[in-house]
């Protein structure tokens, strides 16, 4: 692969090159890249907007995250926020800060991932900003979505006796990160140097959960099909504990979740064992799962029980009872947020 | 002023603290900060979206830009893009990456500027993302605006014989930056050290144009009042030369602008003289003016001539004639973009 210095294209040249293969697919995207702003038309739909900032050295490590995967993930985490409102992502803008060690080909790789995510989820790239950066890579993504007026689901609607549900399984992305970091440490110490081959066999699932997460578009469709409207919903990005506390706080309720109901993949369990980590804590606090956490009225019990890939993990209580996990032996331990905190100094 | 470490509040604590004084003012802002996404309702209006990434060391230098001014400017440059579409800014999201040398009070100062801009321009803060950063300050702002369906003005509508107009004056912000950089160099060499007082007397205007630019909301209102709809429009952020070339390229036209018609403030002229810089080149290529550049049909000549603070600087030609400036002696020199390029290595 040739390596082209970004300065040889300049800002506008770079933008032209990386945005040429992004057609507009959505009716609501009236005008995309190339003017002072994009122009969108949502008509009688509500517009949803969410944004995420990803910084090299804080949110990702390019030693083990390929740029294409990074682009894909940067888009997905924003789509996930729109699905978590029971909406459909429609447009994104992507701003990049790029230091001089990156070439045009690197940026194209990153955009390959963004393009793939846009194709898979039917989202249009409609704008952005591209600039030099003094240090590492900076990625800022904003996503717009739409929803019918009565469809939006907030975090604040959970009611006492509602069932707490979660899609997929938890903790795998976090264990995937542990695996990548371990293999990276081993590689650094290895005598084989660059010829060192990390051992990922039997761990493909947790690796994929970390490197190529998906947003749960399918869950939103399934809920719509089955005419289930959650009373509250959010995506699991900082870890289940943290998200449960958000729902409890916003809805002014308490909750009980059962340790033995928390869905965990066996690869996650094996990796936690290998790393000598507490499995349930991993699943509760790992983060980056991008699963959907939602509550439904107790009357929907039969409907949700039949749903594929959805686990009922607990129920909503009155606020006085607080948030707690019921362990296998029936005792209760309070849920405290131990999710990822970008400002914690001792990490 | 006390100095509070950001880690003592954590991400959510910091967000709560800085966003508490941001009420929602606009009908279209249905739900702001505190869920997976904001919820907006534009109804039969078009939605405009623009985004800007500001990086320390590339776009700003905290040695001479106060944080409050930086916050104000970060918001304004986005509002300007929405006005440049003939729209009205309504919502912004602000994402921050903050390194450990910043305290909670620093971030509050920055948000004071954002808050002031939101108040002055009637815009709601509806979301964002806050994170640690390995190095300097990262600010990513996305702005949403609205416009009636037939009101949007693109860059691509300029027609042969249209008049080229610009609001305010040009080059002042760039000369303000030159002044700040000069005084900073002098201060660094001064024996007085921290007691050195920079000399800004008689240069208040160019300083303000650099540190506290405004978006031309008033110009958009005036055009609406006088029933003038530009055929093309954009804001002058990279410099007049660069913007004229954008309009020519997008509209497939050429242009002639007259050297002696380019509006320049006398403080800009004096500073260019002091710095031994070519005044017209400064006005053509300086950038960061955030004035509006627009074209109107020749039939609007009388109307625009009467407008306060609007200069007619030239006219649109057929594309074969290219883009050129007509000098005072009647000769033509081609316009080439020498605007600010964040990727140029020799700067």
């Amino acid at each position: 692969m040739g390596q082209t210095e970004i300065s040889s294209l300049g800002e506008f040249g770079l933008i032209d090159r990386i945005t040429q293969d992004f057609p507009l697919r959505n009716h609501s995207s009236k005008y995309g890249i190339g003017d002072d702003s994009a122009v969108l038309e949502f008509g009688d739909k509500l517009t949803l907007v969410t944004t995420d900032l990803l910084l090299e050295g804080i949110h990702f490590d390019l030693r083990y995250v390929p740029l294409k995967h990074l682009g894909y993930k940067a888009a997905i985490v924003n789509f996930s926020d729109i699905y978590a409102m029971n909406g459909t992502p429609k447009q994104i803008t992507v701003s990049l800060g790029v230091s001089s060690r990156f070439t045009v080909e690197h940026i194209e790789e990153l955009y390959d991932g963004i393009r793939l995510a846009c194709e898979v989820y039917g989202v249009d790239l409609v704008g952005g900003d591209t600039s030099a950066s003094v240090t590492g890579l900076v990625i800022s993504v904003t996503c717009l979505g739409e929803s019918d007026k009565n469809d939006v689901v907030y975090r604040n609607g959970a009611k006492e006796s509602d069932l707490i549900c979660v899609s997929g399984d938890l903790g795998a992305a976090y264990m995937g990160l542990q695996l990548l970091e371990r293999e990276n440490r081993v590689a650094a110490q290895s005598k084989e140097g660059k010829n060192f081959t990390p051992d990922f066999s039997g761990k493909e699932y947790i690796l994929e959960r970390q490197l190529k997460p998906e947003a749960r578009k399918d869950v939103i469709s399934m809920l719509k099909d089955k005419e289930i409207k959650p009373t509250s919903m959010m995506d699991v990005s900082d870890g289940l504990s943290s998200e449960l506390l958000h729902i409890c706080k916003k809805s002014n309720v308490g909750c009980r979740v059962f340790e033995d109901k928390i869905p965990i993949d066996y690869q996650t369990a094996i990796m936690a064992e290998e790393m000598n980590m507490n499995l349930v804590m991993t699943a509760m606090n790992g983060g980056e799962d991008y699963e959907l956490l939602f509550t439904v009225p107790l009357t929907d019990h039969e409907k949700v029980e039949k749903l594929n890939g959805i686990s009922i993990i607990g129920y909503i209580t009155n606020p006085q009872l607080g948030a707690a996990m019921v362990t296998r032996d029936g005792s209760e331990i309070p849920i405290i947020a131990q999710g990822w905190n970008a400002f914690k100094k001792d990490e």
Side-chain angles (χ1 to χ4, degrees), chain A:
Chain A
M1 190 167 71
Q3 293 295 326
T4 313
E5 279 200 19
I6 290 174
S7 55
S8 70
L9 290 182
E11 182 182 352
F12 299 121
L14 179 65
I15 292 173
D16 284 350
R17 179 136 161 198
I18 56 190
T19 60
Q20 61 191 355
D21 293 327
F22 281 91
L24 297 184
R25 296 179 185 85
N26 288 308
H27 171 79
S28 55
S29 305
K30 293 298 171 195
Y31 192 96
I33 291 160
D35 217 297
D36 294 286
S37 86
V39 180
L40 314 173
E41 182 172 16
F42 292 104
D44 56 3
K45 305 258 186 179
L46 294 174
T47 304
L48 308 171
V49 57
T50 182
T51 189
D52 259 301
L53 183 63
L54 299 176
L55 302 174
E56 185 176 353
I58 301 284
H59 302 95
F60 56 88
D61 187 330
L62 291 174
R63 282 174 303 175
Y64 42 80
V65 179
L67 282 163
K68 186 173 175 179
H69 284 87
L70 181 62
Y72 192 85
K73 187 166 174 175
I76 289 301
V77 300
N78 280 279
F79 300 168
S80 181
D81 278 324
I82 299 293
Y83 291 123
M85 301 297 288
N86 205 24
T88 308
K90 289 290 176 179
Q91 290 90 17
I92 52 169
T93 65
V94 177
S95 292
L96 288 187
V98 185
S99 68
S100 56
R101 67 182 223 270
F102 293 93
T103 63
V104 173
E105 287 73 17
H106 288 133
I107 305 307
E108 286 183 322
E109 243 184 279
L110 185 77
Y111 270 83
D112 282 346
I114 296 170
R115 183 182 301 108
L116 180 61
C118 284
E119 279 168 15
V120 172
Y121 290 86
V123 173
D124 296 332
L125 178 76
V126 297
D129 191 14
T130 308
S131 153
S133 143
V134 179
T135 52
L137 184 62
V138 175
I139 310 173
S140 177
V141 177
T142 298
C143 183
L144 291 118
E146 62 181 36
S147 170
D148 283 331
K149 274 182 195 165
N150 297 319
D151 284 357
V152 175
V153 175
Y154 295 90
R155 296 176 180 178
N156 63 12
K159 298 272 180 302
E160 207 177 322
S161 89
D162 281 357
L163 297 172
I164 303 171
C165 308
V166 69
S167 63
D169 59 83
L170 302 175
Y174 182 71
M175 290 320 300
L177 181 62
Q178 299 302 316
L179 173 63
L180 282 165
E181 287 180 346
R182 183 184 73 180
E183 293 301 304
N184 194 55
R185 280 193 303 271
V186 174
Q189 292 158 5
S190 165
K191 287 174 194 157
E192 299 165 62
K194 284 200 171 178
N195 295 320
F196 172 81
T197 311
D199 180 17
F200 294 142
S201 69
K203 300 191 163 59
E204 295 78 6
Y205 178 69
I206 61 173
L207 206 61
E208 183 160 322
R209 290 284 283 176
Q210 171 58 227
L211 292 178
K212 194 167 175 288
E214 300 291 346
R216 301 307 306 264
K217 181 184 189 175
D218 56 330
V219 171
I220 297 302
S221 302
M222 187 168 65
L223 292 175
K224 206 155 279 179
D225 279 356
K226 305 292 178 194
E227 294 177 350
I228 299 166
K229 188 186 169 188
T231 50
S232 71
M233 182 156 59
M234 66 185 297
D235 71 331
V236 183
S237 52
D238 291 338
L240 182 64
S241 294
S242 171
E243 320 306 17
L244 282 168
L245 291 177
H246 279 300
I247 284 185
C248 286
K249 187 180 169 193
K250 290 276 173 185
S251 299
N252 190 29
V253 294
C255 73
R256 289 295 174 275
V257 297
F258 298 97
E259 182 182 1
D260 61 355
K261 299 288 185 194
I262 293 166
I264 298 172
D265 187 82
Y266 75 97
Q267 285 194 10
T268 308
I270 290 169
M271 190 67 203
E273 177 78 26
E274 275 185 40
M275 302 287 290
N276 209 9
M277 294 172 84
N278 181 308
L279 178 60
V280 174
M281 285 303 116
T282 292
M284 288 292 282
N285 301 312
E288 295 199 282
D289 298 305
Y290 304 107
E291 296 296 342
L292 291 170
L293 171 68
F294 58 94
T295 56
V296 297
L298 191 53
T299 49
D300 279 340
H301 185 255
E302 271 188 58
K303 279 195 204 171
V304 290
E305 231 184 10
K306 285 182 205 150
L307 294 180
N308 232 332
I310 303 293
S311 306
I312 301 173
I313 60 170
Y315 59 92
I316 297 293
T317 67
N318 71 50
Q320 286 73 37
L321 292 178
M325 183 171 74
V326 182
T327 60
R328 283 167 215 273
D329 64 10
S331 59
E332 289 191 355
I333 54 174
I335 293 173
I336 45 171
Q338 297 179 324
W340 188 77
N341 181 345
F343 291 109
K344 248 191 277 176
K345 292 222 165 157
D346 52 352
E347 277 193 336

